[in-house]
Amino acid sequence: MLSFPTPSVYQSSKCFVTYGVMGHLDPNQPPTKSKPWSTVAGQDFINRVELIIPQETSEVVRKILNEKAAPEFQRMVMSLHDILSGDFFTEYIKKGNVMMLSEGRKGIDNVFTFRNGILTMLLDKEAYERAGLVGKPDGVKGKRGLKPRWVVEVDLTSSSMVPGKKGFDRLIYASKNAFNTPVTWLFCNLSSTIPNPDPLALHSPAKYAAEPSVLQNIDAMLPTLKPPVDAIGPEGREELEYFSTELYEWLSLVRLQSPRIQVGDQVDPYLCRYQVPGDGQQGKICRLTWQGFLAPSWCREILLNLVAKLPSKSWFSFSTTTFSKGMAGDNSEISLFRPQGAPGEYVMWEIKSHE
Amino acid sequence: MESTSQSSSKNQPIAAVLLSRAHDPEETKRILTEKIQQRPLFLCPSSPPPSDARAARRREREKKRLSRKKALKPKPLSANERRKLGLYDVPRSGQKYALFEPLHQLWLGYIREILGNEIHTGGEGAASKLTSADFHGAEVEVVRSGCVSRVGLKGIVIKDSRFTFEVVTRRNQRKLVPKEGTVFRIEVPLGGVPTATVEEGQSDENKQQQQQTEAEQPKMIFEVHGEQFQFRSADRANKKFRSHFSKIL
């Protein structure tokens, strides 16, 4: 019919900076509920993880990573009906601990995600009306009545989600009638046991192991790696803002492999006026990158190990980026930096996209 | 002076006396002659009809009201009377799905007869024939609805009213399905070659579907947009359907 383009207000991503103290790490009871651990574990699906460390600590980090490699993830083509029936349902969904993400851009296509036992479907109006499942409007006030999009959440691990029960039968009906096209899924098994025979083998998955790509011995100019003393308290807000902006800029340039941070870089000031802040210290740094379908619980464990096992005076920076949400393609990110010589402190940048 | 005014008042009409209190003598005389003694008395005050728009609109309204009242004689039944007479009650024994199966078969034969060869080609021709068809005895399934709990309802139509379908499901339940915001799917099996599907009351989209199992034959499947279908089956026979912009799509 006549389609008017839906008006949308683009809001840029916002960055929240936290400068705090990590608290004592008890190896028997790793912390889960306090910041920064809860923010790291609270993200949904992580696409990239980047770690920047001084070169001297790279051996220690290598040992940590050998112990805790990233769980491998797989990509296959399945329909929603395949997930809800058969061995896959009983082994992986009901008993196992997995996370899955379907293809599609959120806000444009129909996207399905499965995490912590809850299947979330982000649907457009036609798919929602054809599915017949109860859901809530998506977006601020359901986009105020213009072609609303809908979110349907179903808890698949509950005891009422069993073939034969009404709620589950409605889900099966929807998967046969409204969602019967097969889509590509990313799948990650978070538990270490694999059921035998593997129900996933029917769909010929492509397996990927997330190996880090390592860049070593980068000769770099280092900025001041410790927040200024007067950054604490309400009077120090400006100081904190300057410090955190400059440090984040430097970390981003390292992540981008920019030549501007390297020793001996001479670029025409007409082209670029960037200078590394601080007093011109030099050092060697090492950068590791993981890209794939990663679990926030794994990220949290790596972070814990890093904090516990790296020498307490050395600094490091750890950042996780999620899959993009929404039409503008912005993703949200958490970067954590432990300052040099201050083992209990951290600076955290949370970048949240609008949708 | 008083006596002269009194003597003159006996000769003059009372109206002149009253007017002379308010106006000067010339005015008094003018008003008396023009507006009182020579006042025109219309024998038929409202003919010719007044030319101002307000009065004309009023007359139209009155005429319409009277004609509507005449059309309702004899008066239609009120809701209470309908309920008391029990015209549309279906007794428990009559709510069986198995009872309406033969009606459904009859209906299938009737539709095949109406469509003739159009059942194979589908498209505009089939659509126009189906709009004037009667749907009592059709097996409808709700395929899309603004109210999501209705999706998946399937049954044989036992009553086709202006805004709803009353339907008996396979589990012998009588369900009343509103037509608003709902899309119904109807399947007509036939013995033969691949079929096409048709959407009615809308600009057409064609869907191909063919099912060849031993038990099933190829079917003609069409979807009805209830939003555009809100007419009694009797009224629909001569209605011309045009594509309308649909809010729900």
Side-chain angles (χ1 to χ4, degrees):
Chain A
M1 277 298 167
L2 302 172
S3 63
F4 303 103
T6 51
S8 59
V9 179
Y10 173 70
Q11 294 195 15
S12 53
S13 323
K14 299 190 173 38
C15 178
F16 299 90
V17 179
T18 313
Y19 174 33
V21 174
M22 274 194 264
H24 179 64
L25 283 186
D26 185 5
N28 296 333
Q29 285 183 347
T32 41
K33 294 218 176 111
S34 55
K35 273 184 140 177
W37 320 109
S38 56
T39 37
V40 173
Q43 297 176 293
D44 49 0
F45 303 107
I46 296 184
N47 192 10
R48 302 183 80 185
V49 172
E50 278 165 348
L51 179 60
I52 302 173
I53 45 175
Q55 182 61 39
E56 304 87 56
T57 53
S58 69
E59 274 306 311
V60 183
V61 170
R62 195 187 307 256
K63 256 190 273 175
I64 296 176
L65 292 176
N66 285 339
E67 283 171 37
K68 286 227 173 262
E72 66 168 12
F73 64 97
Q74 297 163 39
R75 184 178 71 190
M76 67 271 188
V77 177
M78 290 169 79
S79 73
L80 190 63
H81 184 69
D82 293 331
I83 293 175
L84 297 173
S85 58
D87 275 338
F88 191 94
F89 186 64
T90 44
E91 295 289 332
Y92 279 125
I93 307 254
K94 284 283 190 182
K95 289 199 267 183
N97 182 13
V98 300
M99 59 181 200
M100 299 178 69
L101 174 66
S102 81
E103 69 173 308
R105 299 157 290 180
K106 298 187 191 179
I108 304 177
D109 310 319
N110 296 334
V111 180
F112 310 110
T113 64
F114 179 72
R115 187 172 167 253
N116 295 341
I118 299 180
L119 173 70
T120 308
M121 303 191 253
L122 300 166
L123 307 172
D124 64 348
K125 187 166 180 216
E126 165 149 16
Y128 176 70
E129 288 186 353
R130 286 199 178 251
L133 302 164
V134 180
K136 291 187 183 155
D138 191 19
V140 180
K141 294 194 200 242
K143 293 255 179 75
R144 291 178 177 87
L146 315 152
K147 286 274 176 168
R149 297 189 68 86
W150 298 84
V151 183
V152 178
E153 283 184 1
V154 182
D155 184 5
L156 287 179
T157 50
S158 84
S159 52
S160 59
M161 284 293 149
V162 160
K165 296 259 179 168
K166 211 158 92 162
F168 192 72
D169 284 340
R170 286 191 78 91
L171 194 56
I172 295 278
Y173 174 89
S175 69
K176 279 195 201 150
N177 291 30
F179 308 127
N180 47 8
T181 48
V183 278
T184 317
W185 293 80
L186 286 174
F187 169 91
C188 182
N189 190 359
L190 298 173
S191 66
S192 42
T193 55
I194 302 178
N196 189 16
D198 195 2
L200 209 49
L202 290 168
H203 308 280
S204 40
K207 295 199 182 162
Y208 302 91
E211 292 282 343
S213 68
V214 185
L215 265 179
Q216 301 228 33
N217 282 321
I218 309 172
D219 243 336
M221 312 274 291
L222 305 172
T224 40
L225 290 167
K226 203 168 173 207
V229 186
D230 44 357
I232 311 171
E235 311 87 40
R237 197 194 152 92
E238 247 187 62
E239 286 284 334
L240 181 62
E241 206 176 310
Y242 282 140
F243 169 73
S244 59
T245 319
E246 284 172 354
L247 187 57
Y248 190 71
E249 190 178 18
W250 183 81
L251 286 170
S252 311
L253 288 172
V254 174
R255 284 162 64 182
L256 287 170
Q257 301 173 339
S258 158
R260 300 283 86 78
I261 44 118
Q262 286 176 359
V263 171
D265 179 59
Q266 284 176 356
V267 66
D268 194 342
Y270 191 76
L271 295 172
C272 175
R273 292 199 327 183
Y274 177 73
Q275 286 188 337
V276 177
D279 36 7
Q281 284 180 5
Q282 296 179 8
K284 288 193 194 288
I285 55 178
C286 174
R287 174 183 160 257
L288 294 95
T289 313
W290 288 259
Q291 187 157 0
F293 187 57
L294 306 163
S297 51
W298 173 78
C299 295
R300 200 183 116 258
E301 284 173 7
I302 291 285
L303 189 60
L304 278 171
N305 281 323
L306 284 170
V307 170
K309 294 184 184 164
L310 280 180
S312 53
K313 295 283 180 191
S314 68
W315 60 272
F316 71 88
S317 154
F318 183 79
S319 63
T320 62
T321 315
T322 62
F323 282 89
S324 66
K325 310 178 191 191
M327 284 191 255
D330 295 337
N331 37 21
S332 54
E333 179 192 297
I334 291 181
S335 287
L336 199 133
F337 175 78
R338 187 175 80 175
Q340 191 169 32
E345 298 175 4
Y346 69 94
V347 184
M348 182 164 75
W349 295 266
E350 289 170 65
I351 300 188
K352 295 188 184 165
S353 62
H354 171 57
E355 195 53 331
Chain B
M1 272 182 13
E2 283 188 27
S3 61
T4 47
S5 65
Q6 277 183 4
S7 61
S8 61
S9 72
K10 281 190 192 157
N11 298 333
Q12 279 183 328
I14 184 89
V17 172
L18 289 172
L19 279 173
S20 58
R21 288 192 191 173
H23 300 279
D24 54 359
E26 278 177 22
E27 274 293 307
T28 314
K29 207 172 161 196
R30 185 183 69 82
I31 293 175
L32 191 62
T33 44
E34 273 182 30
K35 298 207 185 238
I36 297 178
Q37 288 175 341
Q38 292 171 0
R39 183 185 181 80
L41 269 181
F42 294 117
L43 290 175
C44 191
S46 53
S47 154
S51 56
D52 76 322
R54 183 168 174 241
R57 283 197 300 267
R58 190 151 169 248
R59 266 184 311 112
E60 279 297 318
R61 235 184 305 140
E62 288 295 318
K63 228 196 284 181
K64 202 170 167 194
R65 198 169 59 86
L66 289 172
S67 76
R68 171 96 185 115
K69 261 177 118 183
K70 236 191 285 179
L72 286 179
K73 267 189 164 94
K75 286 220 183 79
L77 293 174
S78 71
N80 266 332
E81 287 170 3
R82 250 182 285 153
R83 214 180 306 142
K84 281 211 195 91
L85 280 175
L87 288 171
Y88 295 115
D89 283 349
V90 179
R92 265 305 158 81
S93 57
Q95 272 184 32
K96 302 275 183 275
Y97 186 82
L99 260 179
F100 292 100
E101 283 269 4
L103 175 66
H104 179 55
Q105 296 302 324
L106 274 177
W107 184 82
L108 287 177
Y110 154 72
I111 285 288
R112 286 188 207 122
E113 203 184 301
I114 292 185
L115 285 177
N117 204 30
E118 302 275 356
I119 206 169
H120 297 294
T121 52
E124 285 283 346
S128 54
K129 288 183 183 160
L130 286 168
T131 47
S132 46
D134 184 43
F135 278 81
H136 288 92
E139 179 153 29
V140 303
E141 179 180 0
V142 176
V143 144
R144 176 178 168 174
S145 171
C147 169
V148 287
S149 57
R150 286 180 218 153
V151 175
L153 268 178
K154 190 167 178 179
I156 297 182
V157 174
I158 56 178
K159 178 175 162 214
D160 182 0
S161 78
R162 185 166 167 199
F163 296 113
T164 69
F165 276 129
E166 191 157 347
V167 140
V168 167
T169 61
R170 212 165 260 270
R171 288 198 197 163
N172 300 334
Q173 279 181 323
R174 197 161 51 112
K175 297 269 187 191
L176 192 66
V177 184
K179 288 179 186 171
E180 185 185 3
T182 323
V183 172
F184 301 95
R185 176 183 290 184
I186 299 161
E187 299 178 352
V188 180
L190 41 76
V193 287
T195 65
T197 63
V198 151
E199 280 190 38
E200 293 190 288
Q202 275 294 257
S203 58
D204 43 32
E205 279 169 57
N206 278 326
K207 250 194 294 184
Q208 281 280 341
Q209 194 152 5
Q210 180 179 358
Q211 284 162 359
Q212 286 274 6
T213 62
E214 302 121 76
E216 298 175 37
Q217 313 152 334
K219 300 183 193 172
M220 187 212 197
I221 303 181
F222 59 95
E223 294 190 351
V224 171
H225 289 255
E227 193 85 14
Q228 312 286 342
F229 219 57
Q230 283 171 343
F231 305 99
R232 291 181 301 173
S233 48
D235 296 342
R236 229 180 16 222
N238 291 329
K239 177 131 183 88
K240 290 225 174 4
F241 280 91
R242 299 205 172 85
S243 327
H244 287 288
F245 177 70
S246 172
K247 256 193 315 183
I248 61 169
L249 288 183

